[in-house]
Amino acid sequence: MIRAVIRVNGIVQGVGFRPFINKLIQNFNLKGWVKNTSLGVELEVEGEEIYIRSFLEEIINNPPKLAYIEDLQYEFFQDLKYYKGFEIIKSQDKEDKFTFISPDVSICDECLSELFDKENRRYLYPFINCTNCGPRFTIIKDVPYDRDKTTMKEFKMCHKCLSEYLDIEDRRYHAQPNCCSDCGPKVYFIDKNMEKFDKGIEKAIEYLKDGKIIAIKGIGGFHVACDAKNKESLVKLRQRKGRDEKPFALMMKDINTVENYCYLGKEEKNILESYKRPIVLLKKRNNLLDHVSENKWLGVMLPYSPLHYILMQELDVLVMTSGNIHDVPIVYKNEDAINELWDIVDGFLIHERDIHVRCDDSIVKVFEGKEYFIRRSRGYVPFPIRYNSRNKILACGAEQKGSFALSKNGFVF
């Protein structure tokens, strides 16, 4: 019998890492504890050395789907503390905070299935999520990643959600944004008369079908949306945004819809359907949607939030351009959206979950068979790039674009 102290750094918070460890412990008959720290995850286990080494190999080789292990360190000790079981203990703050934060990711297949299951208690609830999906970077205020350090702090979990959160066999075990229609954020619609409609998504669909332009609050900020097949709406949107020629990004209902309008290779399809869900530049098929883009390319993304999936059930192709006025960053606060987008849209689809960090859609293209960034944002940031130097750098640009990078501890963010 030995004792091991293990420290793991990387994307190990908000991705179900501690529940993964808690379940894995049972396979190797180990005892001890695990906790989040401001440097990553720390755990201490006791058991047979051969089992602990196998346990370490399993962590490295088969981590949770969304986890990324940058570094794993461990020490063995002969003195034992004789733990009686295994537990997840309260997170710990340290002054020197350095742990990776997970990017925001699209809804997973399990949650998507529940979203449209009439027998499920989260049927058509636009904030359904679990440890494998949902917002991360845009709602986190501080590390360690716990609910009270996110914008979900103000929503107290109901009994059913709390039971899931505490059940090690449930995929919502320690899912920090966990909620349902009884205890979580609500969606509503506001028209130009400032009248509020509780059935917000239904009202938004009605507006879009009528050819109107609306603002939609997403995961990282607001989009301005309209029916992409309605040429009159497009002309109106260009006039209001002062955007005469520049193409608009599109959201299409599913991959079959994309193939109706664009040529789609294997690489593009894989990127479109990945959990990162960027906008992908695709070549137009038969000059369709020329009123959206006068060149031969369309910027296309698939739905990535539960709200988008519900919205797109009755719509085929939407313009989903960044919610901002010319040369100003994307709007992400409710009151700012109403003030700044008032002259552009006919109504607002708003929700109560605050966005802490704005994050626009990523844009990529496939070049020589590989993913090439035009804008690196939602789905990718703040995941860092390794930088083999301890020099501290700040990089800004290019030209008038608001992109920047900072280095720390051998990584560029």
Side-chain angles (χ1 to χ4, degrees), residues 266-306:
K266 180 180 178 182
E267 293 84 2
E268 286 95 347
K269 183 175 184 291
N270 289 339
I271 296 170
L272 274 172
E273 293 183 321
S274 73
Y275 62 80
K276 299 171 183 176
R277 287 291 204 280
I279 296 169
V280 182
L281 292 189
L282 302 172
K283 191 174 181 179
K284 283 193 291 189
R285 185 185 292 273
N286 301 326
N287 295 320
L288 293 170
L289 298 176
D290 276 346
H291 55 284
V292 176
S293 170
E294 294 181 357
N295 61 42
K296 63 181 180 180
W297 301 92
L298 291 173
V300 177
M301 59 181 158
L302 293 176
Y304 55 85
S305 77

Short mmCIF file of all heavy atoms in Angstrom, two decimals, residues 266-306:
data_model
loop_
_atom_site.label_atom_id
_atom_site.label_comp_id
_atom_site.label_asym_id
_atom_site.label_seq_id
_atom_site.Cartn_x
_atom_site.Cartn_y
_atom_site.Cartn_z
N LYS A 266 -15.46 16.32 -47.16
CA LYS A 266 -15.40 15.58 -45.89
C LYS A 266 -14.85 16.45 -44.77
O LYS A 266 -15.38 16.44 -43.65
CB LYS A 266 -14.54 14.33 -46.07
CG LYS A 266 -14.42 13.49 -44.82
CD LYS A 266 -13.54 12.26 -45.05
CE LYS A 266 -13.38 11.45 -43.77
NZ LYS A 266 -12.48 10.27 -43.99
N GLU A 267 -13.80 17.21 -45.07
CA GLU A 267 -13.18 18.04 -44.02
C GLU A 267 -14.15 19.12 -43.55
O GLU A 267 -14.29 19.38 -42.34
CB GLU A 267 -11.89 18.68 -44.54
CG GLU A 267 -10.76 17.71 -44.81
CD GLU A 267 -10.87 17.08 -46.20
OE1 GLU A 267 -11.82 17.45 -46.95
OE2 GLU A 267 -10.03 16.21 -46.52
N GLU A 268 -14.82 19.78 -44.50
CA GLU A 268 -15.79 20.82 -44.13
C GLU A 268 -16.92 20.24 -43.28
O GLU A 268 -17.34 20.84 -42.29
CB GLU A 268 -16.39 21.48 -45.37
CG GLU A 268 -15.45 22.42 -46.10
CD GLU A 268 -14.71 21.77 -47.24
OE1 GLU A 268 -14.74 20.51 -47.32
OE2 GLU A 268 -14.10 22.49 -48.05
N LYS A 269 -17.40 19.07 -43.67
CA LYS A 269 -18.50 18.44 -42.93
C LYS A 269 -18.08 18.12 -41.50
O LYS A 269 -18.83 18.37 -40.55
CB LYS A 269 -18.93 17.16 -43.64
CG LYS A 269 -20.12 16.44 -43.01
CD LYS A 269 -20.55 15.25 -43.87
CE LYS A 269 -21.80 14.56 -43.31
NZ LYS A 269 -21.56 13.87 -42.05
N ASN A 270 -16.86 17.59 -41.34
CA ASN A 270 -16.38 17.26 -39.99
C ASN A 270 -16.26 18.50 -39.11
O ASN A 270 -16.58 18.46 -37.92
CB ASN A 270 -15.02 16.55 -40.09
CG ASN A 270 -15.13 15.14 -40.64
OD1 ASN A 270 -16.21 14.54 -40.61
ND2 ASN A 270 -14.04 14.61 -41.16
N ILE A 271 -15.80 19.60 -39.70
CA ILE A 271 -15.65 20.83 -38.92
C ILE A 271 -17.02 21.42 -38.57
O ILE A 271 -17.27 21.84 -37.43
CB ILE A 271 -14.80 21.87 -39.69
CG1 ILE A 271 -13.38 21.34 -39.89
CG2 ILE A 271 -14.77 23.19 -38.94
CD1 ILE A 271 -12.55 22.18 -40.84
N LEU A 272 -17.92 21.42 -39.54
CA LEU A 272 -19.28 21.93 -39.29
C LEU A 272 -19.96 21.19 -38.15
O LEU A 272 -20.63 21.79 -37.31
CB LEU A 272 -20.13 21.79 -40.55
CG LEU A 272 -20.08 22.91 -41.60
CD1 LEU A 272 -20.83 22.48 -42.85
CD2 LEU A 272 -20.68 24.20 -41.04
N GLU A 273 -19.80 19.86 -38.12
CA GLU A 273 -20.50 19.03 -37.14
C GLU A 273 -19.71 18.85 -35.85
O GLU A 273 -20.21 18.22 -34.92
CB GLU A 273 -20.80 17.66 -37.75
CG GLU A 273 -21.80 17.72 -38.89
CD GLU A 273 -22.16 16.35 -39.44
OE1 GLU A 273 -21.27 15.49 -39.55
OE2 GLU A 273 -23.34 16.14 -39.76
N SER A 274 -18.50 19.38 -35.76
CA SER A 274 -17.71 19.26 -34.53
C SER A 274 -18.37 20.03 -33.40
O SER A 274 -19.21 20.92 -33.63
CB SER A 274 -16.29 19.78 -34.75
OG SER A 274 -16.29 21.20 -34.82
N TYR A 275 -17.99 19.73 -32.17
CA TYR A 275 -18.59 20.42 -31.03
C TYR A 275 -18.16 21.88 -30.95
O TYR A 275 -18.72 22.67 -30.20
CB TYR A 275 -18.27 19.69 -29.72
CG TYR A 275 -16.80 19.61 -29.36
CD1 TYR A 275 -16.14 20.68 -28.80
CD2 TYR A 275 -16.07 18.43 -29.57
CE1 TYR A 275 -14.80 20.61 -28.46
CE2 TYR A 275 -14.73 18.34 -29.23
CZ TYR A 275 -14.10 19.43 -28.68
OH TYR A 275 -12.76 19.35 -28.34
N LYS A 276 -17.20 22.29 -31.78
CA LYS A 276 -16.76 23.69 -31.80
C LYS A 276 -17.70 24.57 -32.62
O LYS A 276 -17.80 25.77 -32.38
CB LYS A 276 -15.34 23.77 -32.35
CG LYS A 276 -14.33 23.00 -31.50
CD LYS A 276 -12.99 22.91 -32.18
CE LYS A 276 -12.02 22.08 -31.35
NZ LYS A 276 -10.73 21.89 -32.02
N ARG A 277 -18.34 23.99 -33.63
CA ARG A 277 -19.38 24.64 -34.43
C ARG A 277 -18.98 26.04 -34.96
O ARG A 277 -19.72 27.02 -34.77
CB ARG A 277 -20.66 24.78 -33.63
CG ARG A 277 -21.45 23.50 -33.41
CD ARG A 277 -22.06 22.97 -34.71
NE ARG A 277 -23.20 22.13 -34.48
CZ ARG A 277 -23.15 20.85 -34.13
NH1 ARG A 277 -21.99 20.26 -33.97
NH2 ARG A 277 -24.26 20.15 -33.93
N PRO A 278 -17.87 26.17 -35.68
CA PRO A 278 -17.54 27.47 -36.25
C PRO A 278 -18.34 27.76 -37.50
O PRO A 278 -19.04 26.88 -38.04
CB PRO A 278 -16.06 27.29 -36.60
CG PRO A 278 -15.95 25.85 -36.99
CD PRO A 278 -16.89 25.13 -36.04
N ILE A 279 -18.24 28.99 -37.97
CA ILE A 279 -18.69 29.32 -39.33
C ILE A 279 -17.63 28.77 -40.28
O ILE A 279 -16.43 28.99 -40.09
CB ILE A 279 -18.81 30.84 -39.50
CG1 ILE A 279 -19.90 31.41 -38.58
CG2 ILE A 279 -19.09 31.20 -40.95
CD1 ILE A 279 -19.91 32.93 -38.50
N VAL A 280 -18.07 28.05 -41.32
CA VAL A 280 -17.14 27.48 -42.30
C VAL A 280 -17.44 28.10 -43.66
O VAL A 280 -18.60 28.16 -44.07
CB VAL A 280 -17.28 25.95 -42.38
CG1 VAL A 280 -16.27 25.37 -43.38
CG2 VAL A 280 -17.07 25.32 -41.00
N LEU A 281 -16.41 28.58 -44.35
CA LEU A 281 -16.59 29.13 -45.68
C LEU A 281 -16.74 27.99 -46.68
O LEU A 281 -15.87 27.12 -46.79
CB LEU A 281 -15.40 30.01 -46.06
CG LEU A 281 -15.23 31.32 -45.28
CD1 LEU A 281 -14.14 32.17 -45.92
CD2 LEU A 281 -16.54 32.10 -45.23
N LEU A 282 -17.86 27.99 -47.41
CA LEU A 282 -18.18 26.93 -48.36
C LEU A 282 -18.52 27.53 -49.72
O LEU A 282 -19.10 28.62 -49.80
CB LEU A 282 -19.38 26.12 -47.86
CG LEU A 282 -19.25 25.45 -46.48
CD1 LEU A 282 -20.58 24.85 -46.06
CD2 LEU A 282 -18.16 24.38 -46.50
N LYS A 283 -18.17 26.82 -50.77
CA LYS A 283 -18.48 27.28 -52.12
C LYS A 283 -19.96 27.08 -52.42
O LYS A 283 -20.52 26.01 -52.17
CB LYS A 283 -17.62 26.52 -53.14
CG LYS A 283 -17.68 27.12 -54.53
CD LYS A 283 -16.70 26.42 -55.46
CE LYS A 283 -16.76 27.05 -56.86
NZ LYS A 283 -15.79 26.40 -57.78
N LYS A 284 -20.57 28.12 -52.95
CA LYS A 284 -22.01 28.07 -53.26
C LYS A 284 -22.31 27.06 -54.36
O LYS A 284 -21.52 26.87 -55.28
CB LYS A 284 -22.52 29.44 -53.69
CG LYS A 284 -22.72 30.42 -52.57
CD LYS A 284 -23.50 31.64 -53.01
CE LYS A 284 -22.69 32.50 -53.94
NZ LYS A 284 -23.37 33.80 -54.19
N ARG A 285 -23.48 26.47 -54.27
CA ARG A 285 -23.95 25.54 -55.30
C ARG A 285 -24.97 26.28 -56.19
O ARG A 285 -25.96 26.82 -55.70
CB ARG A 285 -24.61 24.34 -54.63
CG ARG A 285 -25.04 23.23 -55.60
CD ARG A 285 -25.80 22.14 -54.88
NE ARG A 285 -24.94 21.40 -53.97
CZ ARG A 285 -24.20 20.34 -54.33
NH1 ARG A 285 -24.21 19.93 -55.58
NH2 ARG A 285 -23.47 19.70 -53.43
N ASN A 286 -24.68 26.32 -57.49
CA ASN A 286 -25.61 26.87 -58.48
C ASN A 286 -26.03 28.32 -58.21
O ASN A 286 -27.17 28.71 -58.45
CB ASN A 286 -26.88 26.00 -58.56
CG ASN A 286 -26.56 24.56 -58.93
OD1 ASN A 286 -25.63 24.32 -59.71
ND2 ASN A 286 -27.31 23.62 -58.38
N ASN A 287 -25.09 29.09 -57.66
CA ASN A 287 -25.33 30.53 -57.43
C ASN A 287 -26.56 30.79 -56.55
O ASN A 287 -27.21 31.83 -56.68
CB ASN A 287 -25.50 31.27 -58.76
CG ASN A 287 -24.23 31.26 -59.58
OD1 ASN A 287 -23.13 31.40 -59.03
ND2 ASN A 287 -24.35 31.07 -60.88
N LEU A 288 -26.89 29.87 -55.68
CA LEU A 288 -28.01 30.08 -54.77
C LEU A 288 -27.65 31.13 -53.72
O LEU A 288 -26.49 31.31 -53.35
CB LEU A 288 -28.37 28.75 -54.09
CG LEU A 288 -28.96 27.67 -55.01
CD1 LEU A 288 -29.05 26.35 -54.27
CD2 LEU A 288 -30.33 28.08 -55.53
N LEU A 289 -28.66 31.81 -53.20
CA LEU A 289 -28.50 32.84 -52.16
C LEU A 289 -27.52 33.94 -52.58
O LEU A 289 -26.73 34.44 -51.77
CB LEU A 289 -28.05 32.20 -50.83
CG LEU A 289 -29.03 31.19 -50.21
CD1 LEU A 289 -28.42 30.57 -48.95
CD2 LEU A 289 -30.36 31.86 -49.86
N ASP A 290 -27.57 34.34 -53.87
CA ASP A 290 -26.70 35.42 -54.35
C ASP A 290 -26.97 36.74 -53.64
O ASP A 290 -26.10 37.59 -53.53
CB ASP A 290 -26.86 35.60 -55.86
CG ASP A 290 -26.00 34.63 -56.66
OD1 ASP A 290 -25.10 34.02 -56.06
OD2 ASP A 290 -26.24 34.48 -57.87
N HIS A 291 -28.20 36.92 -53.17
CA HIS A 291 -28.52 38.16 -52.46
C HIS A 291 -27.87 38.22 -51.08
O HIS A 291 -27.81 39.28 -50.47
CB HIS A 291 -30.04 38.32 -52.33
CG HIS A 291 -30.72 37.15 -51.68
ND1 HIS A 291 -30.95 35.96 -52.32
CD2 HIS A 291 -31.21 36.99 -50.42
CE1 HIS A 291 -31.57 35.12 -51.50
NE2 HIS A 291 -31.74 35.72 -50.35
N VAL A 292 -27.39 37.06 -50.59
CA VAL A 292 -26.67 37.03 -49.31
C VAL A 292 -25.19 37.34 -49.54
O VAL A 292 -24.56 38.08 -48.79
CB VAL A 292 -26.82 35.65 -48.62
CG1 VAL A 292 -25.98 35.60 -47.35
CG2 VAL A 292 -28.27 35.39 -48.30
N SER A 293 -24.64 36.74 -50.58
CA SER A 293 -23.22 36.91 -50.89
C SER A 293 -23.05 36.97 -52.41
O SER A 293 -23.46 36.05 -53.11
CB SER A 293 -22.40 35.75 -50.31
OG SER A 293 -21.07 35.77 -50.80
N GLU A 294 -22.45 38.04 -52.90
CA GLU A 294 -22.27 38.20 -54.33
C GLU A 294 -21.08 37.41 -54.87
O GLU A 294 -20.94 37.25 -56.07
CB GLU A 294 -22.12 39.69 -54.68
CG GLU A 294 -23.38 40.50 -54.41
CD GLU A 294 -23.23 41.95 -54.78
OE1 GLU A 294 -22.12 42.33 -55.21
OE2 GLU A 294 -24.21 42.71 -54.66
N ASN A 295 -20.20 36.95 -53.97
CA ASN A 295 -19.09 36.14 -54.44
C ASN A 295 -19.49 34.66 -54.40
O ASN A 295 -20.64 34.32 -54.14
CB ASN A 295 -17.81 36.41 -53.62
CG ASN A 295 -17.98 36.07 -52.14
OD1 ASN A 295 -18.56 35.04 -51.79
ND2 ASN A 295 -17.47 36.94 -51.27
N LYS A 296 -18.55 33.77 -54.62
CA LYS A 296 -18.88 32.35 -54.77
C LYS A 296 -18.89 31.59 -53.44
O LYS A 296 -19.06 30.37 -53.43
CB LYS A 296 -17.91 31.68 -55.74
CG LYS A 296 -16.45 31.68 -55.28
CD LYS A 296 -15.56 31.02 -56.32
CE LYS A 296 -14.10 31.02 -55.86
NZ LYS A 296 -13.22 30.39 -56.87
N TRP A 297 -18.72 32.30 -52.32
CA TRP A 297 -18.62 31.64 -51.02
C TRP A 297 -19.76 32.04 -50.09
O TRP A 297 -20.27 33.16 -50.16
CB TRP A 297 -17.29 31.99 -50.34
CG TRP A 297 -16.09 31.59 -51.14
CD1 TRP A 297 -15.41 32.35 -52.05
CD2 TRP A 297 -15.45 30.32 -51.11
NE1 TRP A 297 -14.38 31.65 -52.59
CE2 TRP A 297 -14.37 30.39 -52.04
CE3 TRP A 297 -15.66 29.14 -50.42
CZ2 TRP A 297 -13.51 29.31 -52.28
CZ3 TRP A 297 -14.80 28.06 -50.64
CH2 TRP A 297 -13.75 28.15 -51.56
N LEU A 298 -20.13 31.13 -49.20
CA LEU A 298 -21.07 31.41 -48.11
C LEU A 298 -20.42 31.00 -46.79
O LEU A 298 -19.77 29.95 -46.71
CB LEU A 298 -22.37 30.63 -48.29
CG LEU A 298 -23.29 31.03 -49.44
CD1 LEU A 298 -24.44 30.03 -49.55
CD2 LEU A 298 -23.84 32.44 -49.26
N GLY A 299 -20.61 31.82 -45.77
CA GLY A 299 -20.17 31.46 -44.42
C GLY A 299 -21.32 30.79 -43.70
O GLY A 299 -22.35 31.42 -43.43
N VAL A 300 -21.14 29.50 -43.38
CA VAL A 300 -22.26 28.69 -42.87
C VAL A 300 -21.90 28.05 -41.53
O VAL A 300 -20.77 27.57 -41.34
CB VAL A 300 -22.62 27.58 -43.88
CG1 VAL A 300 -23.73 26.69 -43.34
CG2 VAL A 300 -23.02 28.18 -45.22
N MET A 301 -22.86 28.03 -40.62
CA MET A 301 -22.70 27.27 -39.38
C MET A 301 -23.99 26.51 -39.11
O MET A 301 -25.06 26.86 -39.62
CB MET A 301 -22.36 28.18 -38.20
CG MET A 301 -23.38 29.25 -37.91
SD MET A 301 -22.88 30.31 -36.52
CE MET A 301 -23.86 31.79 -36.85
N LEU A 302 -23.87 25.47 -38.31
CA LEU A 302 -25.02 24.71 -37.86
C LEU A 302 -25.46 25.23 -36.49
O LEU A 302 -24.69 25.88 -35.79
CB LEU A 302 -24.67 23.22 -37.76
CG LEU A 302 -24.37 22.50 -39.08
CD1 LEU A 302 -23.93 21.07 -38.80
CD2 LEU A 302 -25.59 22.51 -40.00
N PRO A 303 -26.69 24.96 -36.06
CA PRO A 303 -27.12 25.32 -34.71
C PRO A 303 -26.16 24.72 -33.68
O PRO A 303 -25.66 23.60 -33.87
CB PRO A 303 -28.50 24.70 -34.59
CG PRO A 303 -28.98 24.51 -35.99
CD PRO A 303 -27.75 24.23 -36.80
N TYR A 304 -25.89 25.45 -32.62
CA TYR A 304 -24.99 24.92 -31.58
C TYR A 304 -25.54 25.04 -30.17
O TYR A 304 -25.09 24.35 -29.26
CB TYR A 304 -23.60 25.56 -31.67
CG TYR A 304 -23.57 27.07 -31.62
CD1 TYR A 304 -23.56 27.76 -30.42
CD2 TYR A 304 -23.52 27.81 -32.80
CE1 TYR A 304 -23.49 29.13 -30.38
CE2 TYR A 304 -23.46 29.19 -32.77
CZ TYR A 304 -23.45 29.86 -31.57
OH TYR A 304 -23.41 31.22 -31.53
N SER A 305 -26.53 25.88 -29.96
CA SER A 305 -27.15 25.97 -28.64
C SER A 305 -28.55 25.36 -28.70
O SER A 305 -29.15 25.29 -29.77
CB SER A 305 -27.23 27.42 -28.18
OG SER A 305 -28.29 28.09 -28.84
N PRO A 306 -29.09 24.94 -27.57
CA PRO A 306 -30.47 24.41 -27.56
C PRO A 306 -31.47 25.43 -28.13
O PRO A 306 -32.39 25.05 -28.86
CB PRO A 306 -30.74 24.12 -26.08
CG PRO A 306 -29.40 23.97 -25.46
CD PRO A 306 -28.48 24.86 -26.23
#
